[in-house]
Amino acid sequence: MAWQPEQEALRQLSGCLKDSLSGHNKNAQKQAEIMLAQAKSSPDINNYLTYLFSSSHVPQGLTYSPEEYHAVRSAAAIMLKNNIKTGYKTIPAESLALVRSSVPLALQDKNSAIRSYAGNVITEIVSRGGILGWPQLLPELLGLIGNDTGNITPEAQEGAMAALSKVCEDNRKMLDKDYQGQRPLTFIIPKLIEFTVSDKPKVRSLALGTINVFIPQKPQALLVSLDDLLNRLFQLANDPSADVRRQVCRAFVQIVEIRPDKILPHIAGLVDYMIAQQRKIEDEDLACDAAEFWLTVGEHNELWKSLAPYLDKIIPVLLESMVYSEEDIAMLEGGGNDADEEDRAEDIKPKFAKSKGARVLANGDGIDETGQVQNGGSYEKLGDDEDLDEGEIEEYDDGDDDGNPEDRWNLRKCSAAALDVFATDFRGPVFDTILPYLMTNLRHEEWPYREAAVLALGAVAEGCLDVVTPHLPDLVPYLISLLNDPEPLVRQITCWTLGRYSAWGASLNTPELRQQFFEPMMEGILTKMLDHNKRVQEAGASAFAHLEEKAGANLTPYCEPIIRQFVRCFEKYKDRNMFILYDCVQTLAEHVGHGLAQPQLIELLMPALIHRWNKVTDQSRELFPLLECLSYVATALSDSFAPFAMPVFTRCIKIIHQNLEEYLAAVNNPILDTPDKDFLVTSLDLLSAIVQAVDEKQSAALVSGSQPRLFELLTFCMEDPENDVRQSSYALLGDCAKYVFPQLQPFLPTLLPLLIRQLDLDSILDEQIETGFSVVNNACWSAGEVSIQYGKDMAPYVPKLLQRYLEILGNPEVPKSVLENAAIALGRLGLENSTIMAPVLSSFSEPFLKSINSVDYTLEKATAMKGFCLVILRNPQAMEKDLARLFTVIARYKMVDHFKTPLTDDLQQIFQHTLELYKSLIPDMNAFLTTSIAPADVTALRTIYHL
């Protein structure tokens, strides 16, 4: 007999679900949440949730108004989806069968929100249980959308299409896998193309939007249907629905990336089409999707050239689109003098820690994204909230979709970004095209036109610098005068544009020119950091961070006035702008370096930073940029940071301990929130900076005195599921090996097995490949540092480490910097363990020499080469096939005095000894040299080593 609910349990559960969404009665809401958390353990809970959600009428025995019952169904759907997400494997088979048979009924509901929730639940089941867990689902959805029986309601067709769209979006890879000789996409893609001619606009746009989800991954099923798709796109190009035309624009943009050859024959028609769509300013989303076409084609390695004949058509449209719309002006105007007003909570967007990242080699070849503030980010593209389902609101979203036009990706930003790309592609002709526009509009009496002209001038700064340079002596003073424009938005964009030209100012090579242009530019931007308008302050601070990057150490003479202004900003800024101010301080520290370690500068800057340090709580997100800023300051001040090290170190240990405890609690209790791992990343990075900055005695005391003990905490961090945490953990491990080895040594038997496990490339997930390699990179680097210090005690770990290094060096997918760090770590292992490594020398000599060859001549390379040669000396015959490569590396080796240490002082003698050994083993050395080695390298060997 089919499952039936018990009346009393249904009444209680539905009451709790209704109260859980009650924003008006907080007590009832809290009580309901507690009751629902307890109900989760009931074996039948998902049956009840499914019953309530899929029943379109109020069940017998319950008395709810339509609005109340809608709230009950919505809450049931959300809870059901979350239960499937967190505990799919624990749900009894008969409950899952009930969910699978009932939820599709809700796709036919009259209410669109309920249909959307049904799609979310279906998608979650497929994500957790796989396609084979519900084999009849896809045929059922396709049948509903195609109205196979002839009696499917329009709502059911739309509901099924929306559900299929979600399933596809969340399971792209799964749908292109082979299941007993069949790939689901083989029949889904042709069906989707068929659905794009549905008589329902919603089905047409969702079908095309779903196809767009698959285009970037180039599945075979789509490539074979690409001509059909292109024909359909041309048919849909003038569809009456703007949503359909948006998806048409998006499809063309995506096809540019995968098959530009299919776009090229139609480029003239596409230019006209995209211009027409971009001019439909009453629908900004459509116009913005059309403008993306210029950006994508402009960034394409080959296709950009095809736009050359049409620049005089396209650029005027970009310039038109860069003027604020009347709607935007209405939202933005009147920002006025708001510098003294407190920020609202929703103004302060969450900032995410950028890991200090992969340990790079001395030649700077790292693999992480530096993430520096991109000069005001005037047109950075905002990421999509991929993890949010329809109907779910992000924690920080205030529910206002439009928000501030400055905070979202829009037509204006997209057009400016496209102009920037065109300037880089075509250079002079772009500036020639916009010059008449600039002459007319830079001094326009209506501020929106003035503002757009300044934006255009900034957009071409990098691509057209050569042709703009002759005009800059006139333009820069005029831009500086615009910093006092009565309209805050003009002052804001002027800061950005001046920041974009700061490289020109910084490169002026006489004191007179710098005084005439660079100093007023710097002073102007610095002054705007204390504008009466908060947005202008933000733009000023961001532009100044950009100027710091471009000017570098040239700013050293100006540090005092700069820091005085920063300190005033610390006194004045509200929370939002404080984040960018930290970036200004850390960028100055990074580029001026030890120039900051002057007593009068420390006395100005450190009290301001310590004041914030004392004010910000351990739970505040402001800690991320503050800890990160202090990392750079500690590195710049070096041992001058000593007076501040103790309290900072102690608090970092406390934050790490707290975060790990909260994480373990959340793992054991799903009701608790998982803590933000950025607290770990920034704290670990700051500990690294302090260990490097202060002297050996103080760093040893800090590590020894830490409570709980640093290396016990590090053990947990090195096994954290988040790549960023592990990346920073291995950076700290390497720094501790260099600077506090006696304190680290007792913990190495625990830490080294974790490190070896981390070097396994199979542990890198496909979707996190870039950050995964950054972790392996740091693990290699730290292993090399540990090897130098631990010496012969590395012996038990040598076989496993060698195996891991060889796997890395032999993998063509591994980035160059990881290969180099693996080679360095392998070479260093030979310094004290040559006896163990010598018997297997022939297995690693070729990959080692290939990778070490591209490393710059640093201490790392010197120690690795010395270790490698010590292995060779114990088994010279093993090098037979790689001898020419070895001789070439030695011939080209540059001995750099700067990198000589007691460890590497004898490198040249070891090279000499190695070559002489082979001279005694090779019967005719001259013949070998002249036939196997390039003449220039033979000359070097004869000159330096007297071969």
Side-chain angles (χ1 to χ4, degrees):
M1 183 180 149
W3 178 87
Q4 288 297 317
E6 287 179 18
Q7 199 60 37
E8 180 55 22
L10 194 65
R11 188 189 63 75
Q12 281 191 7
L13 178 65
S14 61
C16 286
L17 289 166
K18 177 176 77 73
D19 289 345
S20 74
L21 292 183
S22 166
H24 306 298
N25 187 339
K26 291 293 178 196
N27 287 337
Q29 188 177 14
K30 193 75 200 152
Q31 192 57 37
E33 285 170 0
I34 293 166
M35 300 281 284
L36 290 174
Q38 290 167 347
K40 270 180 112 168
S41 56
S42 159
D44 276 358
I45 179 68
N46 295 309
N47 296 13
Y48 280 95
L49 293 170
T50 303
Y51 181 83
L52 284 168
F53 171 51
S54 57
S55 305
S56 54
H57 300 292
V58 181
Q60 208 174 351
L62 301 182
T63 49
Y64 292 116
S65 69
E67 291 77 17
E68 288 173 330
Y69 187 54
H70 177 71
V72 170
R73 294 181 75 193
S74 302
I78 291 168
M79 186 169 176
L80 178 60
K81 180 201 155 189
N82 288 336
N83 286 354
I84 293 165
K85 186 175 189 170
T86 55
Y88 179 81
K89 289 184 175 158
T90 62
I91 299 173
E94 53 276 18
S95 281
L96 276 174
L98 180 72
V99 175
R100 288 194 197 106
S101 62
S102 308
V103 170
L105 298 173
L107 289 175
Q108 307 178 40
D109 202 274
K110 294 284 181 215
N111 186 300
S112 64
I114 295 296
R115 297 199 298 271
S116 177
Y117 283 127
N120 293 346
V121 174
I122 288 168
T123 304
E124 201 58 60
I125 295 172
V126 175
S127 298
R128 301 294 149 189
I131 295 294
L132 298 181
W134 194 351
Q136 65 276 38
L137 172 70
L138 292 174
E140 193 177 330
L141 290 177
L142 293 169
L144 285 171
I145 303 163
N147 192 5
D148 290 358
T149 59
N151 60 356
I152 307 296
T153 64
E155 290 88 353
Q157 285 176 259
E158 289 182 8
M161 185 63 243
L164 179 63
S165 177
K166 283 177 182 155
V167 169
C168 289
E169 193 166 350
D170 285 8
N171 300 282
R172 298 167 222 201
K173 289 189 174 174
M174 192 193 292
L175 292 168
D176 197 26
K177 281 189 174 154
D178 196 306
Y179 299 95
Q180 294 140 9
Q182 281 195 319
R183 290 174 190 268
L185 279 192
T186 310
F187 64 90
I188 293 176
I189 297 273
K191 281 284 186 189
L192 288 171
I193 293 175
E194 193 183 301
F195 297 150
T196 61
V197 291
S198 162
D199 56 354
K200 291 163 195 63
K202 177 99 176 168
V203 172
R204 292 199 300 277
S205 71
L206 279 170
L208 193 45
T210 309
I211 292 169
N212 284 338
V213 162
F214 292 111
I215 294 175
Q217 70 189 54
K218 301 187 276 198
Q220 193 56 35
L222 191 134
L223 294 176
V224 298
S225 306
L226 199 53
D227 289 333
D228 291 347
L229 175 61
L230 278 165
N231 290 333
R232 196 55 56 82
L233 290 175
F234 289 122
Q235 286 168 28
L236 294 169
N238 294 308
D239 195 279
S241 159
D243 278 344
V244 173
R245 295 200 306 281
R246 278 188 70 187
Q247 296 298 348
V248 169
C249 292
R250 286 182 175 188
F252 281 126
V253 166
Q254 304 256 40
I255 294 168
V256 166
E257 304 275 16
I258 66 155
R259 286 295 302 273
D261 57 307
K262 295 283 186 187
I263 295 290
L264 194 56
H266 307 288
I267 200 77
L270 282 170
V271 166
D272 290 338
Y273 177 69
M274 294 299 174
I275 285 174
Q277 301 310 307
Q278 188 169 340
R279 283 205 157 123
K280 294 188 191 304
I281 50 172
E282 69 282 359
D283 185 338
E284 193 187 339
D285 288 336
L286 169 62
C288 191
D289 279 316
E292 289 274 358
F293 183 75
W294 317 125
L295 200 49
T296 309
V297 175
E299 287 175 335
H300 192 275
N301 286 343
E302 290 300 319
L303 210 53
W304 66 270
K305 298 169 191 158
S306 67
L307 293 179
Y310 311 106
L311 285 183
D312 54 350
K313 271 186 180 180
I314 302 166
I315 288 175
V317 183
L318 296 179
L319 295 170
E320 277 168 35
S321 302
M322 283 157 60
V323 182
Y324 277 116
S325 67
E326 286 178 17
E327 191 184 318
D328 285 348
I329 291 169
M331 291 178 75
L332 289 164
E333 251 184 340
N337 299 345
D338 62 355
D340 293 329
E341 293 170 20
E342 294 300 326
D343 291 330
R344 300 172 307 161
E346 59 267 30
D347 290 334
I348 307 159
K349 290 286 183 204
K351 300 280 175 176
F352 302 100
K354 355 182 255 243
S355 165
K356 255 180 122 174
R359 278 299 189 251
V360 293
L361 305 168
N363 52 342
D365 284 336
I367 54 168
D368 73 323
E369 332 76 353
T370 61
Q372 265 302 331
V373 167
Q374 199 202 359
N375 184 23
S378 189
Y379 38 69
E380 77 286 1
K381 185 154 185 183
L382 305 176
D384 296 325
D385 302 320
E386 288 185 0
D387 294 340
L388 297 180
D389 284 319
E390 203 174 321
E392 292 184 70
I393 297 171
E394 193 177 8
E395 191 181 339
Y396 294 93
D397 189 354
D398 59 1
D400 176 5
D401 246 5
D402 296 324
N404 188 314
E406 293 295 275
D407 289 338
R408 58 187 165 84
W409 184 245
N410 54 24
L411 175 61
R412 163 190 159 81
K413 288 184 179 184
C414 187
S415 302
L419 184 61
D420 184 353
V421 168
F422 283 3
T424 306
D425 288 342
F426 301 104
R427 301 189 177 273
V430 171
F431 187 66
D432 295 342
T433 310
I434 70 165
L435 190 56
Y437 169 87
L438 293 176
M439 303 315 268
T440 308
N441 289 284
L442 275 173
R443 297 173 191 269
H444 202 291
E445 58 195 42
E446 289 183 46
W447 75 258
Y449 295 95
R450 247 187 351 264
E451 195 277 347
V454 176
L455 171 58
L457 181 60
V460 300
E462 292 184 5
C464 296
L465 187 59
D466 293 350
V467 278
V468 182
T469 296
H471 302 272
L472 287 177
D474 296 323
L475 284 171
V476 165
Y478 177 64
L479 286 173
I480 291 169
S481 76
L482 284 182
L483 290 173
N484 297 314
D485 193 279
E487 173 52 52
L489 289 165
V490 176
R491 302 200 297 275
Q492 183 179 325
I493 201 64
T494 304
C495 287
W496 179 77
T497 294
L498 276 171
R500 299 268 288 177
Y501 285 103
S502 58
W504 170 78
S507 68
L508 295 170
N509 52 12
T510 70
E512 295 74 28
L513 284 172
R514 277 201 295 276
Q515 194 178 351
Q516 190 181 352
F517 296 109
F518 178 64
E519 289 177 14
M521 182 189 251
M522 180 172 64
E523 194 179 335
I525 297 172
L526 209 48
T527 305
K528 288 298 103 183
M529 286 178 69
L530 279 176
D531 192 88
H532 296 303
N533 177 281
K534 285 195 273 197
R535 290 267 172 184
V536 180
Q537 291 177 354
E538 182 183 9
S542 189
F544 199 78
H546 193 70
L547 179 143
E548 289 173 325
E549 282 188 0
K550 299 299 178 191
N554 293 334
L555 284 183
T556 308
Y558 307 106
C559 274
E560 190 164 331
I562 291 171
I563 290 173
R564 283 191 189 281
Q565 184 74 332
F566 287 175
V567 170
R568 287 185 206 104
C569 294
F570 273 117
E571 290 163 7
K572 285 273 191 186
Y573 275 9
K574 303 305 175 197
D575 293 340
R576 177 187 167 112
N577 285 348
M578 200 59 81
F579 287 72
I580 189 106
L581 179 56
Y582 290 128
D583 195 73
C584 284
V585 174
Q586 80 178 45
T587 308
L588 185 70
E590 184 182 3
H591 290 278
V592 170
H594 208 56
L596 218 53
Q598 297 168 37
Q600 77 278 17
L601 299 180
I602 296 170
E603 282 164 26
L604 280 173
L605 177 63
M606 288 312 293
L609 283 173
I610 296 301
H611 175 71
R612 289 308 294 181
W613 172 262
N614 291 330
K615 189 177 176 184
V616 175
T617 68
D618 286 354
Q619 289 71 43
S620 167
R621 300 180 71 87
E622 191 186 322
L623 259 187
F624 308 153
L626 173 53
L627 291 168
E628 193 174 4
C629 174
L630 281 168
S631 296
Y632 283 91
V633 170
T635 304
L637 297 190
S638 192
D639 49 8
S640 300
F641 192 76
F644 315 101
M646 180 75 182
V648 174
F649 196 95
T650 307
R651 186 173 179 189
C652 286
I653 293 287
K654 180 182 156 208
I655 292 166
I656 293 169
H657 184 223
Q658 209 168 297
N659 194 280
L660 290 171
E661 283 197 322
E662 286 170 14
Y663 173 66
L664 288 173
V667 166
N668 296 320
N669 185 352
I671 296 171
L672 296 173
D673 289 335
T674 305
D676 195 324
K677 296 295 180 68
D678 286 347
F679 288 106
L680 284 183
V681 173
T682 45
S683 298
L684 289 164
D685 287 344
L686 181 46
L687 290 178
S688 270
I690 293 171
V691 164
Q692 293 175 71
V694 300
D695 66 31
E696 206 174 308
K697 188 178 172 192
Q698 189 179 4
S699 53
L702 290 170
V703 170
S704 302
S706 70
Q707 278 303 324
R709 294 197 292 185
L710 168 61
F711 297 115
E712 286 172 0
L713 298 177
L714 191 60
T715 308
F716 288 100
C717 296
M718 282 165 62
E719 291 192 283
D720 193 274
E722 292 290 324
N723 283 345
D724 286 346
V725 176
R726 295 201 310 285
Q727 186 177 327
S728 291
S729 301
Y730 284 101
L732 178 56
L733 176 67
D735 286 328
C736 288
K738 281 174 85 164
Y739 299 103
V740 287
F741 186 75
Q743 286 67 41
L744 168 64
Q745 189 169 355
F747 296 89
L748 285 174
T750 308
L751 298 175
L752 279 170
L754 302 181
L755 187 152
I756 290 167
R757 201 179 313 149
Q758 183 59 69
L759 293 173
D760 183 359
L761 292 180
D762 290 342
S763 65
I764 297 180
L765 301 173
D766 281 353
E767 59 275 21
Q768 298 175 353
I769 195 150
E770 199 168 320
T771 54
F773 277 132
S774 294
V775 182
V776 174
N777 193 57
N778 282 10
C780 286
W781 175 80
S782 61
E785 294 298 338
V786 171
S787 296
I788 284 185
Q789 304 292 340
Y790 209 24
K792 287 189 165 38
D793 291 325
M794 289 295 284
Y797 309 101
V798 168
K800 204 76 184 144
L801 279 170
L802 270 180
Q803 180 194 334
R804 290 278 185 257
Y805 294 149
L806 271 171
E807 285 165 6
I808 293 169
L809 291 170
N811 189 319
E813 301 293 313
V814 175
K816 176 170 169 259
S817 64
V818 183
L819 294 174
E820 292 178 348
N821 266 322
I824 288 167
L826 190 157
R828 289 174 155 189
L829 203 52
L831 289 166
E832 298 284 349
N833 294 282
S834 54
T835 318
I836 308 172
M837 294 167 68
V840 290
L841 172 58
S842 60
S843 66
F844 63 80
S845 54
E846 183 184 351
F848 171 83
L849 287 166
K850 277 183 176 171
S851 292
I852 206 73
N853 195 35
S854 59
V855 178
D856 271 4
Y857 295 95
T858 57
L859 180 61
E860 280 102 337
K861 182 164 183 163
T863 49
M865 282 303 298
K866 176 176 173 177
F868 182 67
C869 286
L870 293 175
V871 178
I872 291 174
L873 293 173
R874 293 200 178 270
N875 186 5
Q877 283 81 4
M879 287 294 293
E880 190 176 345
K881 66 181 186 344
D882 295 311
L883 213 49
R885 192 175 268 115
L886 171 69
F887 277 37
T888 304
V889 169
I890 292 177
R892 294 177 186 178
Y893 200 95
K894 295 183 179 70
M895 295 290 170
V896 183
D897 286 344
H898 175 56
F899 294 118
K900 280 193 178 172
T901 65
L903 184 61
T904 57
D905 260 351
D906 55 352
L907 181 61
Q908 191 153 348
Q909 291 95 293
I910 288 174
F911 282 168
Q912 184 82 50
H913 186 29
T914 307
L915 293 169
E916 281 169 2
L917 176 64
Y918 282 112
K919 193 175 176 183
S920 69
L921 292 172
I922 298 171
D924 188 346
M925 184 55 123
N926 271 337
F928 170 74
L929 290 175
T930 49
T931 54
S932 311
I933 308 225
D937 296 327
V938 175
T939 307
L941 289 171
R942 290 193 165 132
T943 310
I944 303 165
Y945 299 102
H946 316 297
L947 267 194

